[in-house]
Amino acid sequence: MCFPTYNEADNLEPIAAAILSALPDATLLIVDDGSPDGTGQIADRLAAADARVRVLHRAAKAGLGRAYLAGFRVHSTAVRPPFSDGRRLVARSRVAAGLLAPIADGSADLVIGSRYAPGGACGLGARGAA
């Protein structure tokens, strides 16, 4: 599971916990693009506490797509499905569990959540919090 971050200090711990709870056998690769808010240090602390968490530090913000590519290159055999824009999709564990359930039960190899899909939202407004 590849999770790109930039300035996610407030969100990283609950998101990582939600992902690891929903997919206990997954490896979570946090790709931090030199976040000035301490996200990288939080990621390092999570990795030190849990062998399922790995961290790739990049010197500067270079875009979401490049962060995914860097993550895939580094841990292509350890990464399960890519997790797109997780900070918006799994800020609460029940959202993560629902989104990731098809992977956990083996009925899907890939899930994609989008604010553009019916019922999707950007953030946890009325549609996203349900």
Side-chain angles (χ1 to χ4, degrees):
M1 176 105 17
C2 184
F3 181 43
T5 61
Y6 185 77
N7 285 344
E8 295 293 338
D10 293 338
N11 302 316
L12 183 56
E13 290 183 84
I15 291 171
I19 292 169
L20 295 171
S21 174
L23 291 173
D25 295 329
T27 297
L28 176 61
L29 172 62
I30 299 167
V31 180
D32 185 62
D33 274 3
S35 298
D37 71 345
T39 300
Q41 291 85 358
I42 295 168
D44 287 338
R45 184 169 37 83
L46 293 173
D50 191 324
R52 299 173 296 165
V53 178
R54 297 180 182 165
V55 182
L56 173 61
H57 293 279
R58 294 176 357 124
K61 187 174 181 180
L64 184 61
R66 290 182 188 266
Y68 276 117
L69 291 174
F72 296 155
R73 277 192 298 272
V74 171
H75 290 291
S76 61
T77 60
V79 174
R80 296 251 319 229
F83 199 74
S84 179
D85 215 1
R87 67 187 176 276
R88 291 187 182 103
L89 298 174
V90 294
R92 295 197 176 112
S93 61
R94 70 176 181 265
V95 175
L99 180 65
L100 301 175
I103 293 174
D105 70 18
S107 63
D109 294 324
L110 172 69
V111 295
I112 299 172
S114 172
R115 62 184 165 196
Y116 301 110
C122 183
L124 292 174
R127 292 187 295 175

